[in-house]
Amino acid sequence: MPVAVTLAHAAALPVDLPDDAVVAIGVRAGQLADDAPGLDVDLAALSGFEGKVGQLLVAAIAAGPRLLVGLGADPDPATFRRIGASVAKKASTHAALAVDLLSPLDAADRAVAAEALAQGLVLGTYRFGAYKPAPEGTTLAAITVVGKGGARVAGAVERGVAVATAMVLVRDLVNTPGGDLTPKAFAAEATRAATAVGLEVEVLDKAAIRKAKLGGLLGVNRGSAQEPRFVKLTHRPDGRAKGKVALVGKGVTFDAGGLSIKTAAGMEWMKTDMAGAATVLGAMTLVPTVAPRLEVTAYLPLTDNMLGPDATRVGDVLTARNGTTIEVLNTDAEGRLILADALALAVEDEPDAIIDLATLTGAVIVALGERTAGVMGNHEGLSQRVLDAADAAGEAMWPLPLPDHLRKGLDSEVADLRNIGVGPYGGALTAALFLREFVGDVPWAHLDIAGPADTTSAWDENARGGTGFAVRTLVNLLAGWSKLPE
Ligand code: BES
Ligand code: MN
Ligand code: ZN
């Protein structure tokens, strides 16, 4: 689905603006008179406006009526993302918005700020509109970023819009209910989005999934009336590739828990359990532009986790793609079962690294809260790269350990592995230890995004629902990719 507003860049005002357009300008703390010539500074002070980060004030200045936007003393990119969103929201009942927030910055800082600002402007106007029209009077249709900076700023705005548009795709998929976003529907949407940017697309239907012996995916799907799908997307560079990276995403289109059924409250957000797959898809749409010389393949196992009459029973043993047998002792630990197949398929293609994203455990939310993803893996250097990429993206991620003593909890009397550990603690780590069994020696990082993939209420540039979290991290990671040290 397209972004609701168009966003362009123009070097300077005046651009052709409708009468009721909002013109927003950036004002640094303590520099009101310089940044807003003609402003009645005393009157502004009376309203409490001092140019602090995020403060907004409508005021008449020499150039005309303006929305003054506080930038604080030294705004970072995250601040521009957040401010962009609040300015776009403020202007939502107007036809157009022109934004001149970058002019007060040093020239060297403008491009980075512009990219984040553009993201905030697009994300701040996001609304999941598939089932309900926008409230009466929501009219904002065009945003223009104006001001100093020239071609570098224009390019940065374009990049920001592209990344935000991919995040909007992720949000729409995450927000679409499981009854409508079936595995088949997800595969169709992935095919559309991937084809549009020239990726190779391969979709396995149920017969092909059987033939490929994806026993984990078939086991989880067994209780469902909806067929599973497995989507593989590849970006293949024209010349010699800089490297080869595999991205794996959990695509559970609805998680009822299976026979180990969830509570009603526990199911409320489980339409979002395909966020890992959606995030990988969103990032893949950007790969041809941000990492053209890198070979990147996405592996997306898709199913819901239902409890139909032939659902996988507790105690059933599944055989994953790589021959590992798994005793299913809790059908609600389904993400790891479908990821087992996907990771094994990725390993067969011999990538330099595998990164998987999954709304895998409630335990990671207990450990890190709702806004931080847990990063686990088998390769220190790769994990550190992920964390650095997240840091640069302004996305909260934190390392978690894979303690040896928890691995024993996955030993089974009847199969190679149990799908749950023993005891109540460290569930996010146990889940990752399970996944580690399927990656062999390939450098691998696992991102448990169960917390930040969605939000129960709006904050900063996030609307209630899917967030698009981790798209920016993946973009940074892939754009800056170089061979991992041995
Ligand atoms: N999709 C859930 C994890 C989840 C829970 C994501 C809450 C977002 C919010 C996953 O499939 C699951 O049910 N995990 C179980 C594992 C347990 C049975 C070992 C969990 O976390 O309770
Ligand atoms: Mn589950
Ligand atoms: Zn799940």
Side-chain angles (χ1 to χ4, degrees):
M1 266 161 269
V3 192
V5 295
T6 63
L7 194 149
H9 173 262
L13 283 173
V15 288
D16 201 7
L17 292 171
D19 282 348
D20 86 324
V22 174
V23 181
I25 64 166
V27 178
R28 289 165 298 174
Q31 313 209 33
L32 274 56
D34 290 341
D35 293 344
L39 174 69
D40 185 331
V41 175
D42 293 333
L43 197 58
L46 213 54
S47 313
F49 184 86
E50 300 164 4
K52 286 190 182 156
V53 171
Q55 285 189 322
L56 300 177
L57 179 72
V58 177
I61 65 171
R66 292 289 182 265
L67 174 63
L68 307 185
V69 183
L71 300 178
D74 187 18
D76 61 3
T79 301
F80 276 102
R81 209 176 288 113
R82 181 155 51 90
I83 287 177
S86 77
V87 169
K89 285 200 180 94
K90 183 88 178 167
S92 66
T93 57
H94 297 254
L97 166 65
V99 187
D100 186 354
L101 297 185
L102 305 170
S103 298
L105 302 190
D106 291 340
D109 298 335
R110 273 195 207 112
V112 183
E115 183 167 347
L117 172 64
Q119 289 168 1
L121 290 165
V122 172
L123 296 173
T125 60
Y126 175 79
R127 191 183 155 272
F128 181 53
Y131 302 90
K132 194 178 173 182
E136 191 83 36
T138 310
T139 46
L140 185 60
I143 303 177
T144 314
V145 175
V146 292
K148 297 180 190 164
R152 282 188 60 227
V153 165
V157 167
E158 203 174 304
R159 271 198 309 283
V161 171
V163 170
T165 303
M167 292 173 69
V168 164
L169 169 67
V170 177
R171 289 180 178 191
D172 279 339
L173 289 168
V174 168
N175 290 335
T176 303
D180 284 345
L181 190 73
T182 58
K184 199 172 145 198
F186 189 117
E189 184 59 17
T191 301
R192 185 202 60 74
T195 307
V197 297
L199 302 174
E200 288 175 24
V201 182
E202 195 184 334
V203 178
L204 308 189
D205 62 10
K206 191 169 183 179
I209 289 168
R210 273 207 198 93
K211 219 166 142 200
K213 299 200 156 105
L214 306 188
L217 181 56
L218 287 166
V220 174
N221 182 251
R222 196 161 155 175
S224 180
Q226 297 293 331
E227 282 196 8
R229 288 291 184 270
F230 190 97
V231 173
K232 190 172 168 185
L233 309 171
T234 304
H235 168 71
R236 225 177 284 283
D238 286 336
R240 229 177 90 82
K242 265 193 185 180
K244 183 168 163 179
V245 175
L247 301 178
V248 175
K250 172 178 172 180
V252 173
T253 52
F254 180 72
D255 183 8
L259 286 180
S260 312
I261 191 171
K262 287 184 182 297
T263 61
M267 258 180 240
E268 204 175 313
W269 283 88
M270 283 303 123
K271 68 174 183 180
T272 70
D273 209 19
M274 30 51 69
T279 307
V280 168
L281 172 62
M284 285 301 292
T285 65
L286 298 167
V287 166
T289 41
V290 304
R293 293 186 49 219
L294 190 63
E295 182 173 333
V296 186
T297 300
Y299 303 82
L300 310 178
L302 303 164
T303 181
D304 48 9
N305 186 25
M306 302 292 280
L307 37 149
D310 197 36
T312 289
R313 289 110 174 121
V314 174
D316 279 359
V317 175
L318 307 177
T319 304
R321 163 79 187 181
N322 68 356
T324 303
T325 55
I326 306 163
E327 184 186 11
V328 178
L329 290 166
N330 190 319
T331 63
D332 198 13
E334 85 297 341
R336 61 198 76 180
L337 301 174
I338 70 172
L339 291 171
D341 289 331
L343 292 168
L345 279 174
V347 168
E348 289 172 33
D349 291 338
E350 299 182 348
D352 301 330
I354 303 176
I355 296 115
D356 83 71
L357 287 83
T359 49
L360 201 60
T361 65
V364 80
I365 310 177
V366 175
L368 297 176
E370 288 177 302
R371 297 189 184 182
T372 303
V375 178
M376 289 146 274
N378 64 358
H379 189 286
E380 188 105 12
L382 178 60
S383 295
Q384 195 53 52
R385 271 196 197 182
V386 170
L387 292 165
D388 291 344
D391 205 41
E395 293 179 318
M397 299 198 189
W398 203 256
L400 293 173
L402 297 183
D404 275 337
H405 74 97
L406 287 177
R407 169 61 187 81
K408 287 192 275 297
L410 292 170
D411 285 338
S412 164
E413 293 288 325
V414 302
D416 295 325
L417 287 173
R418 296 154 50 92
N419 80 323
I420 52 169
V422 175
Y425 302 123
L429 321 179
T430 301
L433 283 163
F434 180 94
L435 297 182
R436 192 179 68 179
E437 297 295 311
F438 297 87
V439 298
D441 306 328
V442 181
W444 155 76
H446 160 60
L447 281 54
D448 194 335
I449 59 169
D454 57 37
T455 176
T456 52
S457 59
W459 57 280
D460 290 358
E461 69 276 14
N462 298 301
R464 183 176 191 272
T467 56
F469 179 88
V471 168
R472 295 199 303 268
T473 295
L474 289 178
V475 164
N476 287 351
L477 182 70
L478 299 174
W481 190 263
S482 60
K483 284 251 183 292
L484 284 170
E486 289 300 314

